Amino acid sequence: MRKQLDWENAAPLHRLPVARTAAPHLHALEDVIEYAAQMLPAEGPITGFAFLNPLHAFEHLPFDEAVKIGVRLFGGQPYLPEARYREELAADRIRAIDLQAVLETDLGVRAWESIVDLGSRHSLRMTMLRHPILIGSGEEFHWFMAETEALAKFRSDVPRAVRNRLTADALRGAKVENWSETTREAFAVKTLWRVCNDGVRSIKPASEIPWLKVRPRDVLLDATGADSDGLVHEHLIRFCAAFADQGYAPWRLPHRELGFYKSFLKLYRSIGGPPDRWLRGLARELGRLDDAKVSPMESIHESLAALGISPGEWEDFFPATLLAFRGWASMIRQMEVRSDRFPVPAPPGALTEYLAVRLILERFALTHLAREELIYQGPLKDLRKEAQTRIKTHAGHSLDQRAFLLFQLAQILGWSPSALQALTRQQWTALVAEIEAFSSFERRRVFQLALEHHYRVKALDALTAHTQRKSQRVQAPQFQVSFCIDAREESFRRHIEEICPRAETFAAAGFYSVPIYYRGLADANYAPLCPIVMKPTFWMTEEPSYALQESNRRRAKTRRMVGLASHQFERGSQSFALGALLSGGLGVLASIPLVARVLFPRLTASIVNTASSIFEPPPITRLTLERTAPNPGKEPDELGFTLEEMAGLGERVLRDIGLTSGFARIFFFLGHRSSCLNNPHKSAYDCGACTGPGGPNARALAMMLNDRRVRAILAQRNLPIPDDTIFIGGFHNTAVESVTFYDLDFLPRSHVKDFEAARDVFEKAADRNAHERCRRFDSAPLNISAVEARRHVEGRSEDLAQVRPEFGNATNALCFVGRRQRVRDLFMDRRCFMHSYDAGQDTQDSAILARILSAVIPVCEGISLQYYFSSVDSNCWGSGTKLPHNVTSLLGVMDGAASDLRQGLPWQGVEIHEPLRLLFVIESTPEAMMKIIEDNPTIGRIIRNAWSQLAVLDPGSSAIQVFSGSGFEPYHPESAAPLPQSKSSRDCYQGSRTFLDFTQIGADA
């Protein structure tokens, strides 16, 4: 597997240079550990949630191959349960035509091959997809056969004509004149069952080659049921939380500055160490390692030898070991390789040191359990062999279970007893092999392809029909606004355009090509605001205006006093004496704001906001935008950008979105963020392109383009901006549906009326957008008004007990990169990422498109697959339900008081998601896209290996071509019927809580 993993070409921020040790025999060990580290999730701290493909390390492999590795390594499922797909089939989210199309593509010429003269492979698999095939464990199977009428009646989905034919065949030659209809049917069913049973018993059972488990823990678990990881993790959770703490704990870990390994040795070698029986002798062993100055890598090598792990097993052992506790392991890894994302980072080599400590603990845990459970006191290196002899081998499906599969299909497909009896032993073998080859895993894979095929057809048919009409840019726009590509902004833009047809909207990645480390006026540390695959190159801070500096100092002092008092109160409440006193004396008072937050969230929030305004940062601030030093950095004169850099960033964004002429008097750059209370997953609702709020980026870009010196440089580059065009930065709060604007004190009097008119449009659009969102909340009635909907979403955001403040991008399925006028007035149900792009303004080599897609495809693919995997198996790929989550170390969440760090999205954020691999539709040509795929390895891996789907829309027509793996093929719409039409968005969604089809809206409709 290691040879296939192309981590040499991985993003550099996920890999550190390997510091070679002096011993040559350890070089290979260092490489294998680095290889294994690539498989860890790379999400980072929960304060800046990064949307990434959980299987990002395997993107060099085709999707279907990679998920099989993911099943083995992570233990999670890559597809929905089969029953869920059948629900989609019943609801027409999957149709028979979708299954047929997928099977024909999947099987190719093999689809119509005959299976022992009983029908084609295609018909056999279609039957297994359209009809539930019952199977279960041995106990379930025997209960089912004993307690149901499975051997007395045909399945309910067997047509009457087939029942009659099978009954007649079974009764041929029997004297049945006096038999009732029920007796005849029971006889026929039992005859068919006997034939299937005899046929299966006539073939040799398939021999399964057992997978040799490389971790001694796994073999011991199979042999005894005792799990050494339980012992190891109990100590690792506490120590990892203390080592990774970002200022949350009341006491610091002793000797943390020495690193993970040495601080562990110093702490646990002391007299009176852990009282656990299984850790007897640990202090002595740690003292030996410490006194002999054994390095972490040498300690790992010692542990491998003690555990009997040969060098040939390293490449399987280390991934399995790291992934056994992947939450904490990945966080320590990120603290090391992305130290810029952590106020308290970890030194280089932290993950190696973690491995050394873990293996020491594993040795002690395995030794203890081997002695207690196996009565084994031999060498630890022989434990796997000893435990293997104690494992009882379990066969796969029993003969009866295999016969029952065949028995069910025989009923549905009408295979008569006489036809089955005529089969030879070789034919029985071939038939059973064919049925078992289409396992539940394979059926779910095909179901998933069919679900994606269904949406793809709907989307491409709609785009083909919609783009046939004439389209052009808004002439003399009243105002212009650019949003993030986020799918939530699709509906907001649509409502703005419905309210104000003269408004022109654009979209770009929410960091607006301004990669910065940003520190707000009330922030303690810098935070990177850019896609996770990038490292910022600029630093920027927010400062009060000169006239408010004294006010800011007073407010900052008040904040510190309040914060210190709160901190001391919290620490005191955790002590025995003061905790009891505070609980008894102030417990009743503390319950008042708690109850108010739950019963009156909006009113309580208003009161709290009014009270807190006395120590919040002053309302008028400035960004440290212009740099005087030659190079960027953290020092005061190194903050910001040079004029040339500002001009370059501004030119890039304007050319990317295709805005080089036709400027309105006011242009808004809006980032986005989300606000909610008591929600550790809050940052997962912020901007995925920023891994945080995008307002500072939008604000900075607006200020750059308002600078007359920058405009002069742009004019020299053939990008003139009219003198009366004003840029305003701001952000859209996607939770409460509010829009906040920056630097309005710079707004000229001549533009006040234009601004107020645009602001009124935003307010009306916010009401409508809240109304559209509320149809997804079960707590909001379907007949709610727009004003009530706005109040409802505001209340959800401030409700202390609310676990679903919003659903984020939980409906994403499509990404359109092209001109807005091509898809304007098309209802897309908040499922579409959008990035503006005008192929007519690109260079001959499509340099602008290549630049756009280098960010858009990895970012949107990461968001899409994070939602995909977190929804198909929430407990493995996601963080499960958020109800038992507790924040730890200011880095992440654990279940209850102690667990591995939970990663991925919580179930409450994905429960309405329909897991689909994202469909990119790019307004370009196949030739341009093929060149981009060839030139950009990341895009090439994502598209060629089917982690996402790709189609191109011809810039001059409605013709679409779909990428098929090696090239593009013309798309022919499945339906020639015109698109459904509605007068407004509200008419499209009113009264529905489910996914909706594409619809044309507006005056034309």
Side-chain angles (χ1 to χ4, degrees):
M1 189 198 316
R2 182 182 174 219
K3 294 179 180 177
Q4 296 176 323
L5 184 57
D6 184 19
W7 57 265
E8 292 290 347
N9 294 322
L13 58 96
H14 296 313
R15 183 169 183 239
L16 287 179
V18 176
R20 296 295 187 185
T21 60
H25 68 281
L26 297 181
H27 290 177
L29 183 56
E30 293 170 341
D31 285 343
V32 173
I33 293 174
E34 177 61 32
Y35 146 74
Q38 305 303 310
M39 301 183 191
L40 291 169
E43 291 168 8
I46 202 170
T47 52
F49 192 89
F51 288 89
L52 287 170
N53 175 8
L55 294 178
H56 66 92
F58 304 102
E59 285 182 352
H60 64 287
L61 297 173
F63 177 84
D64 290 336
E65 294 181 23
V67 295
K68 291 178 182 178
I69 297 175
V71 169
R72 182 166 71 86
L73 288 178
F74 293 85
Q77 291 300 316
Y79 309 116
L80 292 169
E82 195 167 347
R84 171 71 184 279
Y85 286 118
R86 297 194 184 282
E87 291 175 5
E88 299 297 311
L89 189 63
D92 275 343
R93 299 299 299 171
I94 300 175
R95 303 162 300 168
I97 192 173
D98 298 315
L99 293 172
Q100 291 172 358
V102 168
L103 281 179
E104 290 175 9
T105 302
D106 203 45
L107 296 173
V109 296
R110 299 174 58 245
W112 308 110
E113 291 178 356
S114 176
I115 307 300
V116 299
D117 296 327
L118 292 176
S120 68
R121 180 175 286 110
H122 181 277
S123 64
L124 174 61
R125 296 196 173 192
M126 273 296 292
T127 300
M128 296 178 74
L129 291 169
R130 300 191 65 180
H131 299 269
I133 306 299
L134 305 178
I135 191 65
S137 66
E139 293 79 7
E140 292 172 329
F141 170 75
H142 291 301
W143 178 91
F144 181 81
M145 298 298 284
E147 298 296 329
T148 68
E149 296 182 308
L151 297 183
K153 289 185 177 181
F154 286 110
R155 287 170 52 113
S156 59
D157 53 357
V158 178
R160 170 60 61 181
V162 175
R163 295 185 187 200
N164 293 339
R165 182 164 56 81
L166 293 178
T167 300
D169 184 88
L171 296 176
R172 188 174 293 119
K175 296 179 180 181
V176 296
E177 291 81 2
N178 298 324
W179 287 9
S180 66
E181 186 68 25
T182 302
T183 305
R184 290 168 181 257
E185 181 176 355
F187 181 84
V189 171
K190 290 178 180 178
T191 300
L192 185 61
W193 167 247
R194 185 173 61 253
V195 171
C196 292
N197 224 317
D198 292 344
V200 167
R201 280 170 166 74
S202 69
I203 65 177
K204 183 179 180 181
S207 58
E208 296 184 2
I209 301 175
W211 173 47
L212 181 61
K213 297 180 179 180
V214 69
R215 291 188 68 205
R217 170 262 181 187
D218 295 336
V219 185
L220 184 64
L221 179 64
D222 288 344
T224 67
D227 189 359
S228 62
D229 277 354
L231 300 176
V232 173
H233 292 171
E234 180 183 0
H235 283 268
L236 278 180
I237 289 169
R238 295 195 294 266
F239 191 81
C240 287
F243 177 81
D245 181 63
Q246 303 293 298
Y248 190 68
W251 295 284
R252 290 194 61 190
L253 174 69
H255 310 294
R256 186 194 184 279
E257 68 281 359
L258 300 179
F260 195 99
Y261 176 74
K262 289 188 177 180
S263 63
F264 183 87
L265 264 56
K266 298 289 186 185
L267 182 65
Y268 279 85
R269 70 170 295 181
S270 58
I271 299 176
D276 311 70
R277 288 179 55 212
W278 68 276
L279 287 176
R280 290 176 181 173
L282 176 65
R284 183 170 59 255
E285 171 66 7
L286 297 184
R288 178 189 70 83
L289 295 172
D290 195 15
D291 295 340
K293 293 183 171 50
V294 176
S295 71
M297 194 64 69
E298 291 169 336
S299 175
I300 292 174
H301 197 267
E302 284 186 4
S303 294
L304 291 174
L307 293 170
I309 308 299
S310 66
E313 296 175 306
W314 290 355
E315 292 179 1
D316 288 325
F317 176 79
F318 282 109
T321 299
L322 286 177
L323 293 175
F325 205 47
R326 67 178 186 264
W328 280 113
S330 66
M331 191 62 68
I332 291 171
R333 165 75 171 174
Q334 289 302 302
M335 290 176 65
E336 175 186 356
V337 300
R338 284 304 305 264
S339 57
D340 58 312
R341 302 185 67 199
F342 298 84
V344 184
L351 185 66
T352 300
E353 296 183 12
Y354 158 84
L355 266 173
V357 170
R358 180 188 177 93
L359 293 181
I360 293 170
L361 292 175
E362 282 198 22
R363 284 159 39 197
F364 278 83
L366 289 168
T367 300
H368 171 75
L369 290 179
R371 184 171 56 249
E372 294 289 321
E373 303 293 335
L374 288 180
I375 319 299
Y376 172 76
Q377 298 184 1
L380 193 57
K381 64 181 180 179
D382 296 329
L383 175 61
R384 280 187 297 170
K385 295 179 182 178
E386 177 65 23
Q388 193 72 42
T389 64
R390 314 282 185 97
I391 297 176
K392 297 180 180 179
T393 57
H394 298 282
H397 293 314
S398 67
L399 290 175
D400 283 346
Q401 288 172 293
R402 299 178 80 186
F404 190 60
L405 285 174
L406 192 67
F407 174 60
Q408 296 175 81
L409 287 171
Q411 296 179 56
I412 300 168
L413 289 167
W415 295 340
S416 66
S418 60
L420 291 175
Q421 279 182 320
L423 296 179
T424 66
R425 181 177 179 180
Q426 290 74 16
Q427 288 176 317
W428 275 107
T429 301
L431 179 60
V432 172
E434 187 63 40
I435 293 172
E436 293 185 345
F438 201 44
S439 62
S440 176
F441 187 90
E442 280 297 302
R443 293 195 296 273
R444 289 186 293 142
R445 180 183 67 84
V446 172
F447 270 129
Q448 180 62 38
L449 290 171
L451 184 65
E452 292 168 347
H453 178 272
H454 177 82
Y455 182 80
R456 183 171 64 248
V457 167
K458 291 286 187 182
L460 298 185
D461 280 6
L463 290 172
T464 300
H466 191 73
T467 54
Q468 289 176 0
R469 59 179 200 161
K470 294 182 180 179
S471 61
Q472 60 179 3
R473 277 189 61 188
V474 176
Q475 300 301 310
Q478 178 179 326
F479 65 88
Q480 294 164 321
V481 54
S482 177
F483 290 93
C484 179
I485 59 178
D486 195 281
R488 288 169 288 182
E489 305 293 19
E490 182 270 324
S491 58
F492 199 69
R493 294 174 65 183
R494 177 168 24 88
H495 289 299
I496 287 174
E497 293 161 351
E498 285 185 59
I499 296 167
C500 182
R502 287 184 53 214
E504 186 175 25
T505 68
F506 299 85
F511 77 113
Y512 287 112
S513 298
V514 183
I516 53 174
Y517 289 112
Y518 176 75
R519 189 180 67 197
L521 197 57
D523 295 337
N525 302 289
Y526 283 96
L529 297 183
C530 64
I532 184 61
V533 295
M534 300 175 62
K535 271 192 173 182
T537 51
F538 304 99
W539 279 259
M540 191 170 68
T541 62
E542 181 185 28
E543 296 178 347
S545 65
Y546 182 77
L548 296 175
Q549 286 186 358
E550 182 57 35
S551 172
N552 179 62
R553 279 192 287 269
R554 290 197 302 270
R555 290 167 182 248
K557 183 178 180 180
T558 303
R559 286 198 302 273
R560 282 193 293 270
M561 292 173 60
V562 172
L564 182 61
S566 299
H567 181 65
Q568 293 297 334
F569 181 85
E570 181 179 356
R571 291 189 62 178
S573 67
Q574 296 172 354
S575 66
F576 179 79
L578 189 57
L581 179 63
L582 291 174
S583 299
L586 302 178
V588 176
L589 295 178
S591 66
I592 296 176
L594 177 66
V595 173
R597 280 289 192 184
V598 175
L599 298 181
F600 312 103
R602 292 182 72 252
L603 175 61
T604 307
S606 177
I607 296 173
V608 171
N609 291 338
T610 301
S612 62
S613 63
I614 61 174
F615 53 82
E616 284 183 347
I620 301 178
T621 61
R622 298 287 180 263
L623 296 181
T624 54
L625 198 63
E626 186 171 355
R627 189 176 79 243
T628 56
N631 298 312
K634 294 183 180 180
E635 297 303 319
D637 61 340
E638 298 173 336
L639 301 174
F641 313 80
T642 65
L643 290 177
E644 284 290 333
E645 289 166 346
M646 294 184 203
L649 295 174
E651 179 184 15
R652 169 172 178 162
V653 172
L654 294 178
R655 293 198 185 279
D656 282 357
I657 65 176
L659 181 61
T660 56
S661 62
F663 288 87
R665 283 171 53 81
I666 291 187
F667 190 109
F668 298 91
F669 283 110
L670 296 183
H672 68 96
R673 54 166 290 192
S674 179
S675 62
C676 51
L677 194 67
N678 190 36
N679 192 339
H681 299 275
K682 178 261 176 192
S683 67
Y685 300 114
D686 284 337
C687 180
C690 285
T691 60
N697 308 71
R699 181 185 185 185
L701 182 61
M703 291 181 65
M704 293 176 191
L705 292 174
N706 282 330
D707 194 308
R708 298 296 173 181
R709 298 168 298 171
V710 171
R711 292 193 184 191
I713 297 174
L714 293 178
Q716 295 173 0
R717 300 178 182 179
N718 199 28
L719 183 53
I721 298 174
D723 291 340
D724 66 341
T725 293
I726 297 296
F727 294 90
I728 297 177
F731 67 86
H732 171 209
N733 188 320
T734 57
V736 301
E737 296 299 344
S738 66
V739 178
T740 301
F741 306 99
Y742 293 113
D743 304 314
L744 292 183
D745 52 317
F746 286 139
L747 182 68
R749 180 177 294 273
S750 58
H751 287 64
V752 170
K753 289 186 178 180
D754 300 276
F755 168 76
E756 291 177 344
R759 184 188 58 193
D760 291 343
V761 172
F762 288 139
E763 280 297 306
K764 294 176 182 177
D767 286 344
R768 296 190 183 190
N769 206 42
H771 189 267
E772 183 171 343
R773 285 176 53 205
C774 278
R775 76 182 188 88
R776 285 294 192 171
F777 299 134
D778 290 333
S779 58
L782 287 173
N783 61 350
I784 194 172
S785 70
V787 174
E788 291 171 334
R790 183 80 172 271
R791 293 172 60 87
H792 181 82
V793 298
E794 290 173 351
R796 297 181 76 89
S797 176
E798 297 292 346
D799 188 347
L800 191 64
Q802 182 56 254
V803 295
R804 300 173 185 85
E806 64 163 307
F807 281 122
N809 280 300
T811 55
N812 76 85
L814 176 67
C815 178
F816 178 76
V817 179
R819 292 169 292 172
R820 173 59 176 166
Q821 57 264 33
R822 301 301 303 274
V823 294
R824 183 163 171 156
D825 300 328
L826 181 62
F827 178 83
M828 294 188 279
D829 199 20
R830 291 170 57 87
R831 306 195 71 180
C832 185
F833 297 105
M834 289 187 287
H835 195 295
S836 299
Y837 165 69
D838 189 346
Q841 298 190 44
D842 205 348
T843 59
Q844 288 187 345
D845 61 353
S846 300
I848 292 177
L849 180 60
R851 187 169 65 203
I852 291 172
L853 296 185
S854 66
V856 168
I857 287 183
V859 168
C860 292
E861 180 245 16
I863 295 173
S864 168
L865 290 174
Q866 186 81 74
Y867 275 97
Y868 175 99
F869 284 107
S870 292
S871 60
V872 297
D873 190 342
S874 177
N875 286 324
C876 175
W877 310 112
S879 54
T881 176
K882 66 169 66 171
L883 298 182
H885 287 176
N886 286 310
V887 176
T888 182
S889 303
L890 290 180
L891 285 179
V893 294
M894 297 189 302
D895 284 337
S899 79
D900 194 6
L901 280 186
R902 300 307 307 266
Q903 297 189 309
L905 296 165
W907 174 245
Q908 288 80 3
V910 300
E911 59 189 336
I912 68 167
H913 185 60
E914 185 176 54
L916 304 170
R917 281 171 287 179
L918 195 65
L919 170 62
F920 287 95
V921 179
I922 316 296
E923 189 183 12
S924 184
T925 63
E927 295 76 19
M929 277 307 308
M930 285 305 301
K931 185 178 186 304
I932 292 172
I933 290 172
E934 295 292 339
D935 293 346
N936 189 308
T938 300
I939 294 176
R941 286 194 296 267
I942 292 172
I943 299 303
R944 288 189 185 281
N945 292 325
W947 293 92
S948 293
Q949 308 169 80
L950 174 65
V952 292
L953 171 66
D954 185 75
S957 71
S958 61
I960 292 177
Q961 298 194 52
V962 179
F963 186 79
S964 62
S966 57
F968 286 89
E969 298 177 353
Y971 176 76
H972 303 289
E974 181 183 290
S975 173
L979 276 174
Q981 297 186 342
S982 295
K983 291 184 179 180
S984 68
S985 293
R986 184 165 185 161
D987 292 335
C988 296
Y989 66 77
Q990 184 70 47
S992 173
R993 295 199 188 275
T994 60
F995 290 106
L996 300 170
D997 287 337
F998 294 82
T999 306
Q1000 280 183 343
I1001 58 174
D1004 293 343

